Amino acid sequence: MHYLKAVMKETLRLYPPIPLLIPRESTQDVKIKGYDIAAGTMVITNAWAIARDPSLWDNPTEFQPERFLNSTIDFEGLDFELIPFGAGRRGCPGIPFAMATNDLLFANLVHKFDWALPDGAKGEDLDMT
């Protein structure tokens, strides 16, 4: 189950359900990474770009679930490297329900699905192009 959870985190990192998070309006003047953002400015967070930022992730475009096996990074909105559901007060309220449903679905798939190829075919014979 630990590896299955890592696969789900990596999938949500590469393919967030909402690539551009819900717009927010800044309530006060603020400076972020050298940019001045005036109060009342509408800000849109690009979760897709954050998930592929090479300064945050090693090999950001490759699917590597192993990066989450010994990591405390989670998608609950506390770790801003991984925010597929948003963060803070405007984060998705359905995260616990959705992830419990996904855990159950994927665990049943792995446990009960017959992963053999039909008619005794071998993996080498399968054309993946």
Side-chain angles (χ1 to χ4, degrees), residues 1-14 51 56-60 62-75 79 81-84:
M1 285 302 290
H2 295 293
Y3 191 76
L4 188 61
K5 287 187 182 288
V7 167
M8 285 193 286
K9 285 180 185 179
E10 182 70 353
T11 303
L12 288 171
R13 183 187 72 82
L14 285 173
L56 299 173
W57 304 100
D58 295 329
N59 302 321
E62 293 182 20
F63 186 79
Q64 295 176 337
E66 295 81 16
R67 74 177 85 224
F68 290 106
L69 287 178
N70 295 319
S71 173
T72 59
I73 295 175
D74 205 4
F75 44 76
D79 302 301
E81 303 98 310
L82 183 65
I83 52 171

PDB file of all heavy atoms in Angstrom, residues 1-14 51 56-60 62-75 79 81-84:
ATOM      1  N   MET A   1       0.812  -1.200   0.000  1.00  0.00           N
ATOM      2  CA  MET A   1       0.000   0.000   0.000  1.00  0.00           C
ATOM      3  C   MET A   1       0.859   1.270   0.000  1.00  0.00           C
ATOM      4  O   MET A   1       0.416   2.279  -0.532  1.00  0.00           O
ATOM      5  CB  MET A   1      -0.939   0.009   1.206  1.00  0.00           C
ATOM      6  CG  MET A   1      -2.124  -0.935   1.093  1.00  0.00           C
ATOM      7  SD  MET A   1      -3.178  -0.645  -0.332  1.00  0.00           S
ATOM      8  CE  MET A   1      -3.941   0.882   0.092  1.00  0.00           C
ATOM      9  N   HIS A   2       2.056   1.216   0.571  1.00  0.00           N
ATOM     10  CA  HIS A   2       2.899   2.416   0.577  1.00  0.00           C
ATOM     11  C   HIS A   2       3.277   2.807  -0.846  1.00  0.00           C
ATOM     12  O   HIS A   2       3.249   3.993  -1.198  1.00  0.00           O
ATOM     13  CB  HIS A   2       4.164   2.192   1.414  1.00  0.00           C
ATOM     14  CG  HIS A   2       3.881   1.980   2.867  1.00  0.00           C
ATOM     15  ND1 HIS A   2       3.370   2.973   3.654  1.00  0.00           N
ATOM     16  CD2 HIS A   2       4.018   0.895   3.660  1.00  0.00           C
ATOM     17  CE1 HIS A   2       3.219   2.512   4.884  1.00  0.00           C
ATOM     18  NE2 HIS A   2       3.607   1.247   4.906  1.00  0.00           N
ATOM     19  N   TYR A   3       3.626   1.813  -1.666  1.00  0.00           N
ATOM     20  CA  TYR A   3       3.998   2.106  -3.045  1.00  0.00           C
ATOM     21  C   TYR A   3       2.783   2.586  -3.837  1.00  0.00           C
ATOM     22  O   TYR A   3       2.901   3.487  -4.668  1.00  0.00           O
ATOM     23  CB  TYR A   3       4.617   0.876  -3.712  1.00  0.00           C
ATOM     24  CG  TYR A   3       5.261   1.201  -5.029  1.00  0.00           C
ATOM     25  CD1 TYR A   3       6.497   1.839  -5.071  1.00  0.00           C
ATOM     26  CD2 TYR A   3       4.634   0.906  -6.227  1.00  0.00           C
ATOM     27  CE1 TYR A   3       7.096   2.165  -6.275  1.00  0.00           C
ATOM     28  CE2 TYR A   3       5.219   1.229  -7.431  1.00  0.00           C
ATOM     29  CZ  TYR A   3       6.447   1.857  -7.452  1.00  0.00           C
ATOM     30  OH  TYR A   3       7.027   2.189  -8.647  1.00  0.00           O
ATOM     31  N   LEU A   4       1.609   2.013  -3.571  1.00  0.00           N
ATOM     32  CA  LEU A   4       0.393   2.431  -4.258  1.00  0.00           C
ATOM     33  C   LEU A   4       0.073   3.895  -3.942  1.00  0.00           C
ATOM     34  O   LEU A   4      -0.306   4.663  -4.829  1.00  0.00           O
ATOM     35  CB  LEU A   4      -0.776   1.526  -3.851  1.00  0.00           C
ATOM     36  CG  LEU A   4      -2.069   1.709  -4.617  1.00  0.00           C
ATOM     37  CD1 LEU A   4      -1.871   1.414  -6.088  1.00  0.00           C
ATOM     38  CD2 LEU A   4      -3.139   0.797  -4.046  1.00  0.00           C
ATOM     39  N   LYS A   5       0.255   4.304  -2.695  1.00  0.00           N
ATOM     40  CA  LYS A   5       0.049   5.712  -2.319  1.00  0.00           C
ATOM     41  C   LYS A   5       1.078   6.606  -3.007  1.00  0.00           C
ATOM     42  O   LYS A   5       0.755   7.722  -3.429  1.00  0.00           O
ATOM     43  CB  LYS A   5       0.102   5.875  -0.812  1.00  0.00           C
ATOM     44  CG  LYS A   5      -1.129   5.340  -0.117  1.00  0.00           C
ATOM     45  CD  LYS A   5      -1.094   5.674   1.361  1.00  0.00           C
ATOM     46  CE  LYS A   5      -2.282   5.118   2.076  1.00  0.00           C
ATOM     47  NZ  LYS A   5      -3.516   5.816   1.783  1.00  0.00           N
ATOM     48  N   ALA A   6       2.306   6.127  -3.139  1.00  0.00           N
ATOM     49  CA  ALA A   6       3.333   6.895  -3.844  1.00  0.00           C
ATOM     50  C   ALA A   6       2.980   7.057  -5.319  1.00  0.00           C
ATOM     51  O   ALA A   6       3.194   8.121  -5.902  1.00  0.00           O
ATOM     52  CB  ALA A   6       4.691   6.216  -3.687  1.00  0.00           C
ATOM     53  N   VAL A   7       2.414   6.016  -5.921  1.00  0.00           N
ATOM     54  CA  VAL A   7       1.978   6.090  -7.318  1.00  0.00           C
ATOM     55  C   VAL A   7       0.863   7.127  -7.464  1.00  0.00           C
ATOM     56  O   VAL A   7       0.858   7.928  -8.408  1.00  0.00           O
ATOM     57  CB  VAL A   7       1.518   4.709  -7.833  1.00  0.00           C
ATOM     58  CG1 VAL A   7       0.783   4.818  -9.157  1.00  0.00           C
ATOM     59  CG2 VAL A   7       2.706   3.779  -7.962  1.00  0.00           C
ATOM     60  N   MET A   8      -0.069   7.154  -6.515  1.00  0.00           N
ATOM     61  CA  MET A   8      -1.150   8.137  -6.591  1.00  0.00           C
ATOM     62  C   MET A   8      -0.622   9.564  -6.423  1.00  0.00           C
ATOM     63  O   MET A   8      -1.052  10.478  -7.128  1.00  0.00           O
ATOM     64  CB  MET A   8      -2.220   7.834  -5.543  1.00  0.00           C
ATOM     65  CG  MET A   8      -3.088   6.655  -5.930  1.00  0.00           C
ATOM     66  SD  MET A   8      -4.552   6.482  -4.941  1.00  0.00           S
ATOM     67  CE  MET A   8      -3.871   5.855  -3.432  1.00  0.00           C
ATOM     68  N   LYS A   9       0.330   9.770  -5.522  1.00  0.00           N
ATOM     69  CA  LYS A   9       0.917  11.102  -5.347  1.00  0.00           C
ATOM     70  C   LYS A   9       1.647  11.543  -6.606  1.00  0.00           C
ATOM     71  O   LYS A   9       1.522  12.695  -7.034  1.00  0.00           O
ATOM     72  CB  LYS A   9       1.886  11.116  -4.160  1.00  0.00           C
ATOM     73  CG  LYS A   9       1.216  11.114  -2.823  1.00  0.00           C
ATOM     74  CD  LYS A   9       2.264  11.139  -1.719  1.00  0.00           C
ATOM     75  CE  LYS A   9       1.641  11.012  -0.356  1.00  0.00           C
ATOM     76  NZ  LYS A   9       2.673  11.020   0.706  1.00  0.00           N
ATOM     77  N   GLU A  10       2.405  10.637  -7.199  1.00  0.00           N
ATOM     78  CA  GLU A  10       3.149  10.975  -8.409  1.00  0.00           C
ATOM     79  C   GLU A  10       2.198  11.269  -9.562  1.00  0.00           C
ATOM     80  O   GLU A  10       2.432  12.172 -10.365  1.00  0.00           O
ATOM     81  CB  GLU A  10       4.113   9.839  -8.770  1.00  0.00           C
ATOM     82  CG  GLU A  10       4.961  10.100  -9.976  1.00  0.00           C
ATOM     83  CD  GLU A  10       6.030  11.165  -9.790  1.00  0.00           C
ATOM     84  OE1 GLU A  10       6.073  11.837  -8.741  1.00  0.00           O
ATOM     85  OE2 GLU A  10       6.834  11.346 -10.718  1.00  0.00           O
ATOM     86  N   THR A  11       1.112  10.525  -9.658  1.00  0.00           N
ATOM     87  CA  THR A  11       0.114  10.780 -10.695  1.00  0.00           C
ATOM     88  C   THR A  11      -0.520  12.149 -10.493  1.00  0.00           C
ATOM     89  O   THR A  11      -0.700  12.916 -11.449  1.00  0.00           O
ATOM     90  CB  THR A  11      -0.964   9.683 -10.687  1.00  0.00           C
ATOM     91  OG1 THR A  11      -0.335   8.419 -10.873  1.00  0.00           O
ATOM     92  CG2 THR A  11      -1.981   9.914 -11.781  1.00  0.00           C
ATOM     93  N   LEU A  12      -0.872  12.482  -9.248  1.00  0.00           N
ATOM     94  CA  LEU A  12      -1.457  13.790  -8.967  1.00  0.00           C
ATOM     95  C   LEU A  12      -0.441  14.912  -9.167  1.00  0.00           C
ATOM     96  O   LEU A  12      -0.809  16.044  -9.489  1.00  0.00           O
ATOM     97  CB  LEU A  12      -2.012  13.824  -7.545  1.00  0.00           C
ATOM     98  CG  LEU A  12      -3.277  13.009  -7.337  1.00  0.00           C
ATOM     99  CD1 LEU A  12      -3.614  12.919  -5.860  1.00  0.00           C
ATOM    100  CD2 LEU A  12      -4.446  13.626  -8.107  1.00  0.00           C
ATOM    101  N   ARG A  13       0.833  14.622  -8.982  1.00  0.00           N
ATOM    102  CA  ARG A  13       1.871  15.633  -9.241  1.00  0.00           C
ATOM    103  C   ARG A  13       1.947  15.943 -10.726  1.00  0.00           C
ATOM    104  O   ARG A  13       1.946  17.097 -11.139  1.00  0.00           O
ATOM    105  CB  ARG A  13       3.236  15.158  -8.745  1.00  0.00           C
ATOM    106  CG  ARG A  13       4.338  16.210  -8.930  1.00  0.00           C
ATOM    107  CD  ARG A  13       5.698  15.657  -8.588  1.00  0.00           C
ATOM    108  NE  ARG A  13       6.189  14.707  -9.567  1.00  0.00           N
ATOM    109  CZ  ARG A  13       6.784  15.034 -10.712  1.00  0.00           C
ATOM    110  NH1 ARG A  13       6.956  16.292 -11.031  1.00  0.00           N
ATOM    111  NH2 ARG A  13       7.210  14.101 -11.542  1.00  0.00           N
ATOM    112  N   LEU A  14       1.998  14.900 -11.548  1.00  0.00           N
ATOM    113  CA  LEU A  14       2.141  15.107 -12.985  1.00  0.00           C
ATOM    114  C   LEU A  14       0.842  15.543 -13.671  1.00  0.00           C
ATOM    115  O   LEU A  14       0.883  16.273 -14.648  1.00  0.00           O
ATOM    116  CB  LEU A  14       2.647  13.821 -13.645  1.00  0.00           C
ATOM    117  CG  LEU A  14       4.126  13.519 -13.436  1.00  0.00           C
ATOM    118  CD1 LEU A  14       4.472  12.161 -13.990  1.00  0.00           C
ATOM    119  CD2 LEU A  14       4.990  14.594 -14.058  1.00  0.00           C
ATOM    120  N   ALA A  51       4.444  21.613 -10.267  1.00  0.00           N
ATOM    121  CA  ALA A  51       4.732  20.182 -10.224  1.00  0.00           C
ATOM    122  C   ALA A  51       5.849  19.778 -11.185  1.00  0.00           C
ATOM    123  O   ALA A  51       6.412  18.699 -11.057  1.00  0.00           O
ATOM    124  CB  ALA A  51       3.469  19.389 -10.538  1.00  0.00           C
ATOM    125  N   LEU A  56      12.414  22.283  -7.771  1.00  0.00           N
ATOM    126  CA  LEU A  56      11.734  21.559  -6.693  1.00  0.00           C
ATOM    127  C   LEU A  56      11.854  20.052  -6.816  1.00  0.00           C
ATOM    128  O   LEU A  56      11.823  19.339  -5.815  1.00  0.00           O
ATOM    129  CB  LEU A  56      10.247  21.933  -6.659  1.00  0.00           C
ATOM    130  CG  LEU A  56       9.905  23.399  -6.399  1.00  0.00           C
ATOM    131  CD1 LEU A  56       8.415  23.623  -6.567  1.00  0.00           C
ATOM    132  CD2 LEU A  56      10.366  23.795  -5.017  1.00  0.00           C
ATOM    133  N   TRP A  57      11.946  19.548  -8.041  1.00  0.00           N
ATOM    134  CA  TRP A  57      11.906  18.111  -8.284  1.00  0.00           C
ATOM    135  C   TRP A  57      13.091  17.678  -9.137  1.00  0.00           C
ATOM    136  O   TRP A  57      13.447  18.358 -10.095  1.00  0.00           O
ATOM    137  CB  TRP A  57      10.613  17.728  -9.017  1.00  0.00           C
ATOM    138  CG  TRP A  57       9.378  18.151  -8.316  1.00  0.00           C
ATOM    139  CD1 TRP A  57       8.615  19.251  -8.590  1.00  0.00           C
ATOM    140  CD2 TRP A  57       8.738  17.489  -7.226  1.00  0.00           C
ATOM    141  NE1 TRP A  57       7.555  19.306  -7.735  1.00  0.00           N
ATOM    142  CE2 TRP A  57       7.601  18.240  -6.879  1.00  0.00           C
ATOM    143  CE3 TRP A  57       9.025  16.339  -6.500  1.00  0.00           C
ATOM    144  CZ2 TRP A  57       6.759  17.885  -5.855  1.00  0.00           C
ATOM    145  CZ3 TRP A  57       8.178  15.979  -5.475  1.00  0.00           C
ATOM    146  CH2 TRP A  57       7.059  16.742  -5.159  1.00  0.00           C
ATOM    147  N   ASP A  58      13.656  16.510  -8.837  1.00  0.00           N
ATOM    148  CA  ASP A  58      14.657  15.899  -9.707  1.00  0.00           C
ATOM    149  C   ASP A  58      13.917  15.190 -10.834  1.00  0.00           C
ATOM    150  O   ASP A  58      12.955  14.465 -10.591  1.00  0.00           O
ATOM    151  CB  ASP A  58      15.497  14.873  -8.939  1.00  0.00           C
ATOM    152  CG  ASP A  58      16.321  15.527  -7.839  1.00  0.00           C
ATOM    153  OD1 ASP A  58      16.703  16.696  -8.014  1.00  0.00           O
ATOM    154  OD2 ASP A  58      16.564  14.862  -6.817  1.00  0.00           O
ATOM    155  N   ASN A  59      14.354  15.384 -12.064  1.00  0.00           N
ATOM    156  CA  ASN A  59      13.693  14.789 -13.245  1.00  0.00           C
ATOM    157  C   ASN A  59      12.179  15.032 -13.183  1.00  0.00           C
ATOM    158  O   ASN A  59      11.394  14.091 -13.083  1.00  0.00           O
ATOM    159  CB  ASN A  59      13.991  13.298 -13.339  1.00  0.00           C
ATOM    160  CG  ASN A  59      15.463  13.015 -13.408  1.00  0.00           C
ATOM    161  OD1 ASN A  59      16.203  13.740 -14.062  1.00  0.00           O
ATOM    162  ND2 ASN A  59      15.912  11.978 -12.728  1.00  0.00           N
ATOM    163  N   PRO A  60      11.734  16.292 -13.258  1.00  0.00           N
ATOM    164  CA  PRO A  60      10.332  16.612 -13.019  1.00  0.00           C
ATOM    165  C   PRO A  60       9.344  16.056 -14.046  1.00  0.00           C
ATOM    166  O   PRO A  60       8.172  15.902 -13.734  1.00  0.00           O
ATOM    167  CB  PRO A  60      10.311  18.136 -13.028  1.00  0.00           C
ATOM    168  CG  PRO A  60      11.501  18.542 -13.811  1.00  0.00           C
ATOM    169  CD  PRO A  60      12.516  17.482 -13.572  1.00  0.00           C
ATOM    170  N   GLU A  62       9.596  13.020 -15.482  1.00  0.00           N
ATOM    171  CA  GLU A  62       9.572  11.555 -15.447  1.00  0.00           C
ATOM    172  C   GLU A  62       8.652  11.049 -14.344  1.00  0.00           C
ATOM    173  O   GLU A  62       8.568  11.634 -13.276  1.00  0.00           O
ATOM    174  CB  GLU A  62      10.977  11.007 -15.231  1.00  0.00           C
ATOM    175  CG  GLU A  62      11.900  11.259 -16.399  1.00  0.00           C
ATOM    176  CD  GLU A  62      13.272  10.663 -16.180  1.00  0.00           C
ATOM    177  OE1 GLU A  62      13.397   9.759 -15.327  1.00  0.00           O
ATOM    178  OE2 GLU A  62      14.211  11.108 -16.844  1.00  0.00           O
ATOM    179  N   PHE A  63       7.985   9.938 -14.618  1.00  0.00           N
ATOM    180  CA  PHE A  63       7.106   9.300 -13.642  1.00  0.00           C
ATOM    181  C   PHE A  63       7.960   8.441 -12.708  1.00  0.00           C
ATOM    182  O   PHE A  63       8.437   7.385 -13.093  1.00  0.00           O
ATOM    183  CB  PHE A  63       6.059   8.431 -14.360  1.00  0.00           C
ATOM    184  CG  PHE A  63       5.029   7.855 -13.446  1.00  0.00           C
ATOM    185  CD1 PHE A  63       3.973   8.624 -13.010  1.00  0.00           C
ATOM    186  CD2 PHE A  63       5.114   6.546 -13.014  1.00  0.00           C
ATOM    187  CE1 PHE A  63       3.013   8.096 -12.157  1.00  0.00           C
ATOM    188  CE2 PHE A  63       4.172   6.003 -12.166  1.00  0.00           C
ATOM    189  CZ  PHE A  63       3.109   6.791 -11.740  1.00  0.00           C
ATOM    190  N   GLN A  64       8.177   8.921 -11.484  1.00  0.00           N
ATOM    191  CA  GLN A  64       9.011   8.226 -10.505  1.00  0.00           C
ATOM    192  C   GLN A  64       8.304   8.199  -9.152  1.00  0.00           C
ATOM    193  O   GLN A  64       8.544   9.058  -8.299  1.00  0.00           O
ATOM    194  CB  GLN A  64      10.360   8.929 -10.336  1.00  0.00           C
ATOM    195  CG  GLN A  64      11.223   8.913 -11.548  1.00  0.00           C
ATOM    196  CD  GLN A  64      12.503   9.712 -11.331  1.00  0.00           C
ATOM    197  OE1 GLN A  64      12.571  10.582 -10.486  1.00  0.00           O
ATOM    198  NE2 GLN A  64      13.508   9.393 -12.113  1.00  0.00           N
ATOM    199  N   PRO A  65       7.428   7.236  -8.908  1.00  0.00           N
ATOM    200  CA  PRO A  65       6.726   7.179  -7.618  1.00  0.00           C
ATOM    201  C   PRO A  65       7.666   6.981  -6.440  1.00  0.00           C
ATOM    202  O   PRO A  65       7.317   7.326  -5.309  1.00  0.00           O
ATOM    203  CB  PRO A  65       5.801   5.975  -7.757  1.00  0.00           C
ATOM    204  CG  PRO A  65       5.805   5.599  -9.180  1.00  0.00           C
ATOM    205  CD  PRO A  65       7.007   6.194  -9.817  1.00  0.00           C
ATOM    206  N   GLU A  66       8.864   6.476  -6.694  1.00  0.00           N
ATOM    207  CA  GLU A  66       9.824   6.221  -5.617  1.00  0.00           C
ATOM    208  C   GLU A  66      10.210   7.494  -4.872  1.00  0.00           C
ATOM    209  O   GLU A  66      10.614   7.439  -3.715  1.00  0.00           O
ATOM    210  CB  GLU A  66      11.092   5.552  -6.172  1.00  0.00           C
ATOM    211  CG  GLU A  66      10.868   4.176  -6.747  1.00  0.00           C
ATOM    212  CD  GLU A  66      10.312   4.194  -8.168  1.00  0.00           C
ATOM    213  OE1 GLU A  66      10.363   5.248  -8.854  1.00  0.00           O
ATOM    214  OE2 GLU A  66       9.800   3.155  -8.594  1.00  0.00           O
ATOM    215  N   ARG A  67      10.032   8.657  -5.509  1.00  0.00           N
ATOM    216  CA  ARG A  67      10.405   9.914  -4.860  1.00  0.00           C
ATOM    217  C   ARG A  67       9.533  10.189  -3.632  1.00  0.00           C
ATOM    218  O   ARG A  67       9.898  10.962  -2.776  1.00  0.00           O
ATOM    219  CB  ARG A  67      10.358  11.077  -5.851  1.00  0.00           C
ATOM    220  CG  ARG A  67       8.982  11.532  -6.229  1.00  0.00           C
ATOM    221  CD  ARG A  67       9.001  12.747  -7.165  1.00  0.00           C
ATOM    222  NE  ARG A  67       9.151  12.341  -8.536  1.00  0.00           N
ATOM    223  CZ  ARG A  67       9.967  12.921  -9.397  1.00  0.00           C
ATOM    224  NH1 ARG A  67      10.694  13.942  -9.045  1.00  0.00           N
ATOM    225  NH2 ARG A  67      10.050  12.487 -10.630  1.00  0.00           N
ATOM    226  N   PHE A  68       8.378   9.537  -3.518  1.00  0.00           N
ATOM    227  CA  PHE A  68       7.475   9.754  -2.387  1.00  0.00           C
ATOM    228  C   PHE A  68       7.549   8.656  -1.325  1.00  0.00           C
ATOM    229  O   PHE A  68       6.863   8.742  -0.317  1.00  0.00           O
ATOM    230  CB  PHE A  68       6.032   9.870  -2.878  1.00  0.00           C
ATOM    231  CG  PHE A  68       5.770  11.139  -3.647  1.00  0.00           C
ATOM    232  CD1 PHE A  68       5.627  11.109  -5.018  1.00  0.00           C
ATOM    233  CD2 PHE A  68       5.696  12.354  -2.991  1.00  0.00           C
ATOM    234  CE1 PHE A  68       5.394  12.272  -5.721  1.00  0.00           C
ATOM    235  CE2 PHE A  68       5.470  13.520  -3.690  1.00  0.00           C
ATOM    236  CZ  PHE A  68       5.320  13.480  -5.063  1.00  0.00           C
ATOM    237  N   LEU A  69       8.353   7.622  -1.548  1.00  0.00           N
ATOM    238  CA  LEU A  69       8.401   6.517  -0.585  1.00  0.00           C
ATOM    239  C   LEU A  69       8.980   6.937   0.762  1.00  0.00           C
ATOM    240  O   LEU A  69       8.470   6.547   1.802  1.00  0.00           O
ATOM    241  CB  LEU A  69       9.189   5.343  -1.172  1.00  0.00           C
ATOM    242  CG  LEU A  69       8.467   4.569  -2.261  1.00  0.00           C
ATOM    243  CD1 LEU A  69       9.352   3.455  -2.796  1.00  0.00           C
ATOM    244  CD2 LEU A  69       7.148   4.002  -1.761  1.00  0.00           C
ATOM    245  N   ASN A  70      10.030   7.717   0.784  1.00  0.00           N
ATOM    246  CA  ASN A  70      10.649   8.162   2.040  1.00  0.00           C
ATOM    247  C   ASN A  70      10.510   9.667   2.196  1.00  0.00           C
ATOM    248  O   ASN A  70      11.409  10.343   2.676  1.00  0.00           O
ATOM    249  CB  ASN A  70      12.123   7.759   2.090  1.00  0.00           C
ATOM    250  CG  ASN A  70      12.282   6.263   2.112  1.00  0.00           C
ATOM    251  OD1 ASN A  70      11.535   5.569   2.783  1.00  0.00           O
ATOM    252  ND2 ASN A  70      13.251   5.757   1.372  1.00  0.00           N
ATOM    253  N   SER A  71       9.371  10.199   1.787  1.00  0.00           N
ATOM    254  CA  SER A  71       9.142  11.635   1.806  1.00  0.00           C
ATOM    255  C   SER A  71       7.914  11.960   2.655  1.00  0.00           C
ATOM    256  O   SER A  71       6.965  11.184   2.715  1.00  0.00           O
ATOM    257  CB  SER A  71       8.924  12.126   0.374  1.00  0.00           C
ATOM    258  OG  SER A  71       8.540  13.470   0.371  1.00  0.00           O
ATOM    259  N   THR A  72       7.938  13.111   3.289  1.00  0.00           N
ATOM    260  CA  THR A  72       6.776  13.544   4.085  1.00  0.00           C
ATOM    261  C   THR A  72       5.858  14.452   3.281  1.00  0.00           C
ATOM    262  O   THR A  72       4.845  14.914   3.794  1.00  0.00           O
ATOM    263  CB  THR A  72       7.249  14.295   5.344  1.00  0.00           C
ATOM    264  OG1 THR A  72       8.025  15.423   4.947  1.00  0.00           O
ATOM    265  CG2 THR A  72       8.069  13.382   6.242  1.00  0.00           C
ATOM    266  N   ILE A  73       6.189  14.712   2.018  1.00  0.00           N
ATOM    267  CA  ILE A  73       5.368  15.587   1.180  1.00  0.00           C
ATOM    268  C   ILE A  73       4.010  14.941   0.952  1.00  0.00           C
ATOM    269  O   ILE A  73       3.911  13.773   0.582  1.00  0.00           O
ATOM    270  CB  ILE A  73       6.070  15.871  -0.159  1.00  0.00           C
ATOM    271  CG1 ILE A  73       7.336  16.660   0.080  1.00  0.00           C
ATOM    272  CG2 ILE A  73       5.148  16.617  -1.106  1.00  0.00           C
ATOM    273  CD1 ILE A  73       8.158  16.898  -1.161  1.00  0.00           C
ATOM    274  N   ASP A  74       2.958  15.735   1.178  1.00  0.00           N
ATOM    275  CA  ASP A  74       1.598  15.249   0.997  1.00  0.00           C
ATOM    276  C   ASP A  74       0.798  16.287   0.212  1.00  0.00           C
ATOM    277  O   ASP A  74       1.218  17.427   0.064  1.00  0.00           O
ATOM    278  CB  ASP A  74       0.951  14.970   2.356  1.00  0.00           C
ATOM    279  CG  ASP A  74      -0.151  13.939   2.277  1.00  0.00           C
ATOM    280  OD1 ASP A  74      -0.374  13.381   1.182  1.00  0.00           O
ATOM    281  OD2 ASP A  74      -0.799  13.687   3.302  1.00  0.00           O
ATOM    282  N   PHE A  75      -0.366  15.914  -0.271  1.00  0.00           N
ATOM    283  CA  PHE A  75      -1.181  16.795  -1.094  1.00  0.00           C
ATOM    284  C   PHE A  75      -2.293  17.479  -0.302  1.00  0.00           C
ATOM    285  O   PHE A  75      -3.232  18.012  -0.879  1.00  0.00           O
ATOM    286  CB  PHE A  75      -1.795  16.020  -2.270  1.00  0.00           C
ATOM    287  CG  PHE A  75      -2.357  14.698  -1.876  1.00  0.00           C
ATOM    288  CD1 PHE A  75      -3.559  14.596  -1.214  1.00  0.00           C
ATOM    289  CD2 PHE A  75      -1.654  13.553  -2.162  1.00  0.00           C
ATOM    290  CE1 PHE A  75      -4.056  13.377  -0.834  1.00  0.00           C
ATOM    291  CE2 PHE A  75      -2.149  12.316  -1.794  1.00  0.00           C
ATOM    292  CZ  PHE A  75      -3.359  12.225  -1.128  1.00  0.00           C
ATOM    293  N   ASP A  79       2.294  21.265   2.005  1.00  0.00           N
ATOM    294  CA  ASP A  79       3.536  21.246   1.239  1.00  0.00           C
ATOM    295  C   ASP A  79       3.246  21.870  -0.126  1.00  0.00           C
ATOM    296  O   ASP A  79       2.542  21.285  -0.944  1.00  0.00           O
ATOM    297  CB  ASP A  79       4.041  19.806   1.066  1.00  0.00           C
ATOM    298  CG  ASP A  79       4.260  19.113   2.397  1.00  0.00           C
ATOM    299  OD1 ASP A  79       5.066  19.626   3.186  1.00  0.00           O
ATOM    300  OD2 ASP A  79       3.616  18.082   2.633  1.00  0.00           O
ATOM    301  N   GLU A  81       4.939  22.213  -2.717  1.00  0.00           N
ATOM    302  CA  GLU A  81       5.484  21.590  -3.914  1.00  0.00           C
ATOM    303  C   GLU A  81       4.423  20.731  -4.605  1.00  0.00           C
ATOM    304  O   GLU A  81       4.497  20.490  -5.796  1.00  0.00           O
ATOM    305  CB  GLU A  81       6.672  20.676  -3.583  1.00  0.00           C
ATOM    306  CG  GLU A  81       7.804  21.342  -2.867  1.00  0.00           C
ATOM    307  CD  GLU A  81       7.730  21.102  -1.364  1.00  0.00           C
ATOM    308  OE1 GLU A  81       6.653  21.325  -0.770  1.00  0.00           O
ATOM    309  OE2 GLU A  81       8.746  20.709  -0.789  1.00  0.00           O
ATOM    310  N   LEU A  82       3.457  20.261  -3.837  1.00  0.00           N
ATOM    311  CA  LEU A  82       2.435  19.346  -4.347  1.00  0.00           C
ATOM    312  C   LEU A  82       1.068  19.859  -3.904  1.00  0.00           C
ATOM    313  O   LEU A  82       0.625  19.599  -2.790  1.00  0.00           O
ATOM    314  CB  LEU A  82       2.684  17.933  -3.804  1.00  0.00           C
ATOM    315  CG  LEU A  82       1.753  16.834  -4.295  1.00  0.00           C
ATOM    316  CD1 LEU A  82       1.938  16.605  -5.795  1.00  0.00           C
ATOM    317  CD2 LEU A  82       2.020  15.537  -3.550  1.00  0.00           C
ATOM    318  N   ILE A  83       0.408  20.627  -4.773  1.00  0.00           N
ATOM    319  CA  ILE A  83      -0.902  21.190  -4.424  1.00  0.00           C
ATOM    320  C   ILE A  83      -1.937  20.911  -5.526  1.00  0.00           C
ATOM    321  O   ILE A  83      -2.512  21.824  -6.095  1.00  0.00           O
ATOM    322  CB  ILE A  83      -0.807  22.698  -4.137  1.00  0.00           C
ATOM    323  CG1 ILE A  83      -0.110  23.432  -5.282  1.00  0.00           C
ATOM    324  CG2 ILE A  83      -0.141  22.982  -2.823  1.00  0.00           C
ATOM    325  CD1 ILE A  83      -0.183  24.947  -5.174  1.00  0.00           C
ATOM    326  N   PRO A  84      -2.206  19.642  -5.841  1.00  0.00           N
ATOM    327  CA  PRO A  84      -3.163  19.368  -6.913  1.00  0.00           C
ATOM    328  C   PRO A  84      -4.595  19.766  -6.561  1.00  0.00           C
ATOM    329  O   PRO A  84      -5.425  19.958  -7.446  1.00  0.00           O
ATOM    330  CB  PRO A  84      -3.058  17.856  -7.114  1.00  0.00           C
ATOM    331  CG  PRO A  84      -2.610  17.345  -5.789  1.00  0.00           C
ATOM    332  CD  PRO A  84      -1.702  18.418  -5.233  1.00  0.00           C
TER     333      PRO A  84
END
